[in-house]
Amino acid sequence: MSDITVGGLSSAMPVTAALLPLLEPATSGNWSCPYFEVRFDMSWVIWVLTSNDWRGLPEPLLSRCPPIGLPEITRADLVAFARRVGARRGLSEASIEAIVEALEHPANRTRRLSLRSVIRMLDRAKDMEGDPPPS
């Protein structure tokens, strides 16, 4: 994490160094933007940070933003999501079932599917249902 920087070329700094003043109550109320050189009261901002693996984050950041572990999304979760969102989007039952079949297909059992994958499938199904069939 220490090699990630924010800011322009002349004012680049490690992301942890950039975040800590924003997360500390003592400094967030009178925070100075290094880019625009303007002061802001950032004490009212609620921060939500995400990471695929918190184990590589530096201790100062972890002490201010304790990790909350979330369980992995299961294939059953993805299927339920596809059914619920597909119905909400007005997809036909045939389209929804095609997506479910793709999610449950044995070839996809070893792949790690995500919500992004399912959303792309739903988007594509919506596009295909909206287009007239080729002549």
Side-chain angles (χ1 to χ4, degrees):
M1 178 106 176
S2 61
D3 60 342
I4 299 173
T5 58
V6 295
L9 293 176
S10 62
S11 63
M13 63 174 30
V15 70
T16 303
L19 281 174
L20 290 180
L22 296 169
L23 300 173
E24 283 292 335
T27 54
S28 64
N30 192 24
W31 178 77
S32 180
C33 174
Y35 185 79
F36 291 110
E37 299 178 359
V38 176
R39 294 206 174 280
F40 293 99
D41 180 357
M42 300 295 279
S43 64
W44 294 96
V45 176
I46 296 173
W47 298 94
V48 178
L49 309 175
T50 63
S51 173
N52 290 334
D53 188 357
W54 60 269
R55 292 172 293 208
L57 297 175
E59 182 55 38
L61 195 57
L62 289 172
S63 70
R64 289 158 180 86
C65 303
I68 299 172
L70 299 175
E72 293 265 341
I73 295 176
T74 66
R75 198 158 306 271
D77 294 331
L78 294 174
V79 166
F81 176 80
R83 289 186 189 282
R84 185 175 60 253
V85 174
R88 190 179 322 137
R89 290 186 180 189
L91 289 176
S92 69
E93 191 60 34
S95 289
I96 294 171
E97 287 308 311
I99 293 169
V100 169
E101 280 183 40
L103 292 171
E104 294 177 337
H105 192 276
N108 284 327
R109 289 273 178 209
T110 57
R111 286 183 56 209
R112 185 168 178 218
L113 297 173
S114 66
L115 283 174
R116 273 189 207 95
S117 303
V118 177
I119 290 169
R120 281 193 298 268
M121 291 177 183
L122 292 163
D123 290 344
R124 182 68 181 132
K126 188 68 174 171
D127 289 345
M128 291 174 70
E129 283 189 359
D131 292 338
S135 48

PDB file of all heavy atoms in Angstrom, residues 17-39:
ATOM      1  N   ALA A  17      -0.438   8.411   4.110  1.00  0.00           N
ATOM      2  CA  ALA A  17      -0.112   9.748   4.608  1.00  0.00           C
ATOM      3  C   ALA A  17      -1.187  10.753   4.207  1.00  0.00           C
ATOM      4  O   ALA A  17      -1.472  11.693   4.949  1.00  0.00           O
ATOM      5  CB  ALA A  17       1.252  10.185   4.086  1.00  0.00           C
ATOM      6  N   ALA A  18      -1.792  10.558   3.045  1.00  0.00           N
ATOM      7  CA  ALA A  18      -2.850  11.458   2.592  1.00  0.00           C
ATOM      8  C   ALA A  18      -4.147  11.232   3.370  1.00  0.00           C
ATOM      9  O   ALA A  18      -4.882  12.184   3.647  1.00  0.00           O
ATOM     10  CB  ALA A  18      -3.097  11.263   1.104  1.00  0.00           C
ATOM     11  N   LEU A  19      -4.427   9.986   3.745  1.00  0.00           N
ATOM     12  CA  LEU A  19      -5.681   9.669   4.426  1.00  0.00           C
ATOM     13  C   LEU A  19      -5.674   9.980   5.916  1.00  0.00           C
ATOM     14  O   LEU A  19      -6.693  10.397   6.472  1.00  0.00           O
ATOM     15  CB  LEU A  19      -6.022   8.184   4.244  1.00  0.00           C
ATOM     16  CG  LEU A  19      -6.630   7.786   2.923  1.00  0.00           C
ATOM     17  CD1 LEU A  19      -6.768   6.273   2.850  1.00  0.00           C
ATOM     18  CD2 LEU A  19      -7.989   8.438   2.737  1.00  0.00           C
ATOM     19  N   LEU A  20      -4.564   9.765   6.575  1.00  0.00           N
ATOM     20  CA  LEU A  20      -4.542   9.896   8.034  1.00  0.00           C
ATOM     21  C   LEU A  20      -5.038  11.251   8.536  1.00  0.00           C
ATOM     22  O   LEU A  20      -5.826  11.294   9.489  1.00  0.00           O
ATOM     23  CB  LEU A  20      -3.153   9.568   8.585  1.00  0.00           C
ATOM     24  CG  LEU A  20      -2.765   8.095   8.484  1.00  0.00           C
ATOM     25  CD1 LEU A  20      -1.375   7.880   9.061  1.00  0.00           C
ATOM     26  CD2 LEU A  20      -3.775   7.196   9.148  1.00  0.00           C
ATOM     27  N   PRO A  21      -4.645  12.383   7.952  1.00  0.00           N
ATOM     28  CA  PRO A  21      -5.182  13.662   8.441  1.00  0.00           C
ATOM     29  C   PRO A  21      -6.697  13.776   8.261  1.00  0.00           C
ATOM     30  O   PRO A  21      -7.360  14.500   8.999  1.00  0.00           O
ATOM     31  CB  PRO A  21      -4.461  14.718   7.602  1.00  0.00           C
ATOM     32  CG  PRO A  21      -3.259  14.042   7.062  1.00  0.00           C
ATOM     33  CD  PRO A  21      -3.614  12.596   6.937  1.00  0.00           C
ATOM     34  N   LEU A  22      -7.242  13.055   7.299  1.00  0.00           N
ATOM     35  CA  LEU A  22      -8.688  13.099   7.075  1.00  0.00           C
ATOM     36  C   LEU A  22      -9.439  12.224   8.069  1.00  0.00           C
ATOM     37  O   LEU A  22     -10.618  12.442   8.335  1.00  0.00           O
ATOM     38  CB  LEU A  22      -8.999  12.630   5.652  1.00  0.00           C
ATOM     39  CG  LEU A  22      -8.448  13.516   4.544  1.00  0.00           C
ATOM     40  CD1 LEU A  22      -8.571  12.820   3.197  1.00  0.00           C
ATOM     41  CD2 LEU A  22      -9.160  14.848   4.534  1.00  0.00           C
ATOM     42  N   LEU A  23      -8.766  11.232   8.615  1.00  0.00           N
ATOM     43  CA  LEU A  23      -9.398  10.288   9.534  1.00  0.00           C
ATOM     44  C   LEU A  23      -9.251  10.688  10.993  1.00  0.00           C
ATOM     45  O   LEU A  23      -9.959  10.180  11.852  1.00  0.00           O
ATOM     46  CB  LEU A  23      -8.806   8.889   9.323  1.00  0.00           C
ATOM     47  CG  LEU A  23      -8.975   8.306   7.928  1.00  0.00           C
ATOM     48  CD1 LEU A  23      -8.191   7.004   7.801  1.00  0.00           C
ATOM     49  CD2 LEU A  23     -10.438   8.095   7.597  1.00  0.00           C
ATOM     50  N   GLU A  24      -8.333  11.573  11.293  1.00  0.00           N
ATOM     51  CA  GLU A  24      -8.084  12.029  12.664  1.00  0.00           C
ATOM     52  C   GLU A  24      -8.988  13.207  13.006  1.00  0.00           C
ATOM     53  O   GLU A  24      -8.976  14.221  12.311  1.00  0.00           O
ATOM     54  CB  GLU A  24      -6.629  12.467  12.825  1.00  0.00           C
ATOM     55  CG  GLU A  24      -5.657  11.353  12.952  1.00  0.00           C
ATOM     56  CD  GLU A  24      -5.822  10.586  14.258  1.00  0.00           C
ATOM     57  OE1 GLU A  24      -6.331  11.147  15.259  1.00  0.00           O
ATOM     58  OE2 GLU A  24      -5.455   9.415  14.257  1.00  0.00           O
ATOM     59  N   PRO A  25      -9.778  13.105  14.079  1.00  0.00           N
ATOM     60  CA  PRO A  25     -10.641  14.233  14.459  1.00  0.00           C
ATOM     61  C   PRO A  25      -9.868  15.531  14.697  1.00  0.00           C
ATOM     62  O   PRO A  25     -10.360  16.612  14.380  1.00  0.00           O
ATOM     63  CB  PRO A  25     -11.309  13.752  15.751  1.00  0.00           C
ATOM     64  CG  PRO A  25     -11.244  12.265  15.687  1.00  0.00           C
ATOM     65  CD  PRO A  25      -9.983  11.928  14.934  1.00  0.00           C
ATOM     66  N   ALA A  26      -8.668  15.432  15.213  1.00  0.00           N
ATOM     67  CA  ALA A  26      -7.885  16.640  15.521  1.00  0.00           C
ATOM     68  C   ALA A  26      -7.472  17.405  14.270  1.00  0.00           C
ATOM     69  O   ALA A  26      -7.294  18.622  14.310  1.00  0.00           O
ATOM     70  CB  ALA A  26      -6.638  16.259  16.325  1.00  0.00           C
ATOM     71  N   THR A  27      -7.307  16.715  13.140  1.00  0.00           N
ATOM     72  CA  THR A  27      -6.842  17.389  11.924  1.00  0.00           C
ATOM     73  C   THR A  27      -7.909  17.489  10.839  1.00  0.00           C
ATOM     74  O   THR A  27      -7.798  18.329   9.952  1.00  0.00           O
ATOM     75  CB  THR A  27      -5.617  16.650  11.343  1.00  0.00           C
ATOM     76  OG1 THR A  27      -5.944  15.273  11.167  1.00  0.00           O
ATOM     77  CG2 THR A  27      -4.423  16.783  12.264  1.00  0.00           C
ATOM     78  N   SER A  28      -8.940  16.663  10.913  1.00  0.00           N
ATOM     79  CA  SER A  28      -9.942  16.673   9.831  1.00  0.00           C
ATOM     80  C   SER A  28     -10.819  17.919   9.842  1.00  0.00           C
ATOM     81  O   SER A  28     -11.362  18.308   8.819  1.00  0.00           O
ATOM     82  CB  SER A  28     -10.812  15.418   9.889  1.00  0.00           C
ATOM     83  OG  SER A  28     -11.563  15.384  11.088  1.00  0.00           O
ATOM     84  N   GLY A  29     -10.955  18.570  10.977  1.00  0.00           N
ATOM     85  CA  GLY A  29     -11.790  19.769  11.063  1.00  0.00           C
ATOM     86  C   GLY A  29     -11.196  20.973  10.364  1.00  0.00           C
ATOM     87  O   GLY A  29     -11.908  21.915  10.026  1.00  0.00           O
ATOM     88  N   ASN A  30      -9.893  20.951  10.174  1.00  0.00           N
ATOM     89  CA  ASN A  30      -9.221  22.074   9.529  1.00  0.00           C
ATOM     90  C   ASN A  30      -8.207  21.525   8.528  1.00  0.00           C
ATOM     91  O   ASN A  30      -7.031  21.865   8.559  1.00  0.00           O
ATOM     92  CB  ASN A  30      -8.530  22.958  10.574  1.00  0.00           C
ATOM     93  CG  ASN A  30      -8.072  24.269   9.999  1.00  0.00           C
ATOM     94  OD1 ASN A  30      -8.597  24.742   8.992  1.00  0.00           O
ATOM     95  ND2 ASN A  30      -7.069  24.870  10.628  1.00  0.00           N
ATOM     96  N   TRP A  31      -8.678  20.679   7.656  1.00  0.00           N
ATOM     97  CA  TRP A  31      -7.811  19.988   6.696  1.00  0.00           C
ATOM     98  C   TRP A  31      -7.510  20.905   5.511  1.00  0.00           C
ATOM     99  O   TRP A  31      -8.380  21.611   5.000  1.00  0.00           O
ATOM    100  CB  TRP A  31      -8.501  18.713   6.214  1.00  0.00           C
ATOM    101  CG  TRP A  31      -7.731  17.950   5.203  1.00  0.00           C
ATOM    102  CD1 TRP A  31      -6.651  17.148   5.431  1.00  0.00           C
ATOM    103  CD2 TRP A  31      -7.980  17.899   3.801  1.00  0.00           C
ATOM    104  NE1 TRP A  31      -6.212  16.600   4.266  1.00  0.00           N
ATOM    105  CE2 TRP A  31      -7.011  17.048   3.235  1.00  0.00           C
ATOM    106  CE3 TRP A  31      -8.916  18.494   2.970  1.00  0.00           C
ATOM    107  CZ2 TRP A  31      -6.959  16.778   1.883  1.00  0.00           C
ATOM    108  CZ3 TRP A  31      -8.863  18.218   1.620  1.00  0.00           C
ATOM    109  CH2 TRP A  31      -7.890  17.378   1.085  1.00  0.00           C
ATOM    110  N   SER A  32      -6.282  20.877   5.074  1.00  0.00           N
ATOM    111  CA  SER A  32      -5.856  21.698   3.947  1.00  0.00           C
ATOM    112  C   SER A  32      -5.596  20.800   2.751  1.00  0.00           C
ATOM    113  O   SER A  32      -4.762  19.891   2.825  1.00  0.00           O
ATOM    114  CB  SER A  32      -4.591  22.475   4.306  1.00  0.00           C
ATOM    115  OG  SER A  32      -4.197  23.261   3.202  1.00  0.00           O
ATOM    116  N   CYS A  33      -6.290  21.049   1.665  1.00  0.00           N
ATOM    117  CA  CYS A  33      -6.117  20.277   0.441  1.00  0.00           C
ATOM    118  C   CYS A  33      -4.749  20.602  -0.169  1.00  0.00           C
ATOM    119  O   CYS A  33      -4.483  21.769  -0.490  1.00  0.00           O
ATOM    120  CB  CYS A  33      -7.219  20.603  -0.552  1.00  0.00           C
ATOM    121  SG  CYS A  33      -6.988  19.819  -2.170  1.00  0.00           S
ATOM    122  N   PRO A  34      -3.883  19.590  -0.326  1.00  0.00           N
ATOM    123  CA  PRO A  34      -2.563  19.879  -0.865  1.00  0.00           C
ATOM    124  C   PRO A  34      -2.586  20.281  -2.336  1.00  0.00           C
ATOM    125  O   PRO A  34      -1.682  20.965  -2.806  1.00  0.00           O
ATOM    126  CB  PRO A  34      -1.792  18.566  -0.668  1.00  0.00           C
ATOM    127  CG  PRO A  34      -2.821  17.526  -0.500  1.00  0.00           C
ATOM    128  CD  PRO A  34      -4.043  18.193   0.041  1.00  0.00           C
ATOM    129  N   TYR A  35      -3.628  19.904  -3.055  1.00  0.00           N
ATOM    130  CA  TYR A  35      -3.700  20.219  -4.488  1.00  0.00           C
ATOM    131  C   TYR A  35      -4.230  21.632  -4.712  1.00  0.00           C
ATOM    132  O   TYR A  35      -3.636  22.437  -5.406  1.00  0.00           O
ATOM    133  CB  TYR A  35      -4.552  19.186  -5.209  1.00  0.00           C
ATOM    134  CG  TYR A  35      -4.575  19.371  -6.704  1.00  0.00           C
ATOM    135  CD1 TYR A  35      -3.506  18.942  -7.482  1.00  0.00           C
ATOM    136  CD2 TYR A  35      -5.641  19.993  -7.332  1.00  0.00           C
ATOM    137  CE1 TYR A  35      -3.508  19.113  -8.852  1.00  0.00           C
ATOM    138  CE2 TYR A  35      -5.655  20.174  -8.706  1.00  0.00           C
ATOM    139  CZ  TYR A  35      -4.594  19.733  -9.460  1.00  0.00           C
ATOM    140  OH  TYR A  35      -4.591  19.912 -10.818  1.00  0.00           O
ATOM    141  N   PHE A  36      -5.397  21.926  -4.114  1.00  0.00           N
ATOM    142  CA  PHE A  36      -6.021  23.232  -4.318  1.00  0.00           C
ATOM    143  C   PHE A  36      -5.556  24.282  -3.310  1.00  0.00           C
ATOM    144  O   PHE A  36      -5.855  25.463  -3.459  1.00  0.00           O
ATOM    145  CB  PHE A  36      -7.545  23.107  -4.251  1.00  0.00           C
ATOM    146  CG  PHE A  36      -8.137  22.359  -5.400  1.00  0.00           C
ATOM    147  CD1 PHE A  36      -8.688  21.100  -5.221  1.00  0.00           C
ATOM    148  CD2 PHE A  36      -8.146  22.898  -6.670  1.00  0.00           C
ATOM    149  CE1 PHE A  36      -9.232  20.403  -6.285  1.00  0.00           C
ATOM    150  CE2 PHE A  36      -8.688  22.227  -7.747  1.00  0.00           C
ATOM    151  CZ  PHE A  36      -9.235  20.965  -7.551  1.00  0.00           C
ATOM    152  N   GLU A  37      -4.864  23.827  -2.253  1.00  0.00           N
ATOM    153  CA  GLU A  37      -4.394  24.708  -1.203  1.00  0.00           C
ATOM    154  C   GLU A  37      -5.528  25.519  -0.585  1.00  0.00           C
ATOM    155  O   GLU A  37      -5.446  26.739  -0.408  1.00  0.00           O
ATOM    156  CB  GLU A  37      -3.259  25.594  -1.716  1.00  0.00           C
ATOM    157  CG  GLU A  37      -2.062  24.806  -2.174  1.00  0.00           C
ATOM    158  CD  GLU A  37      -0.944  25.673  -2.735  1.00  0.00           C
ATOM    159  OE1 GLU A  37      -1.100  26.906  -2.783  1.00  0.00           O
ATOM    160  OE2 GLU A  37       0.081  25.094  -3.120  1.00  0.00           O
ATOM    161  N   VAL A  38      -6.620  24.810  -0.269  1.00  0.00           N
ATOM    162  CA  VAL A  38      -7.800  25.409   0.350  1.00  0.00           C
ATOM    163  C   VAL A  38      -8.130  24.582   1.591  1.00  0.00           C
ATOM    164  O   VAL A  38      -7.990  23.357   1.592  1.00  0.00           O
ATOM    165  CB  VAL A  38      -8.999  25.383  -0.637  1.00  0.00           C
ATOM    166  CG1 VAL A  38     -10.255  25.910   0.004  1.00  0.00           C
ATOM    167  CG2 VAL A  38      -8.665  26.170  -1.895  1.00  0.00           C
ATOM    168  N   ARG A  39      -8.599  25.236   2.640  1.00  0.00           N
ATOM    169  CA  ARG A  39      -8.967  24.535   3.876  1.00  0.00           C
ATOM    170  C   ARG A  39     -10.429  24.098   3.814  1.00  0.00           C
ATOM    171  O   ARG A  39     -11.279  24.816   3.301  1.00  0.00           O
ATOM    172  CB  ARG A  39      -8.744  25.424   5.083  1.00  0.00           C
ATOM    173  CG  ARG A  39      -7.279  25.719   5.301  1.00  0.00           C
ATOM    174  CD  ARG A  39      -7.009  26.017   6.765  1.00  0.00           C
ATOM    175  NE  ARG A  39      -5.609  26.168   7.030  1.00  0.00           N
ATOM    176  CZ  ARG A  39      -4.746  25.171   7.183  1.00  0.00           C
ATOM    177  NH1 ARG A  39      -5.157  23.937   7.113  1.00  0.00           N
ATOM    178  NH2 ARG A  39      -3.469  25.405   7.432  1.00  0.00           N
TER     179      ARG A  39
END
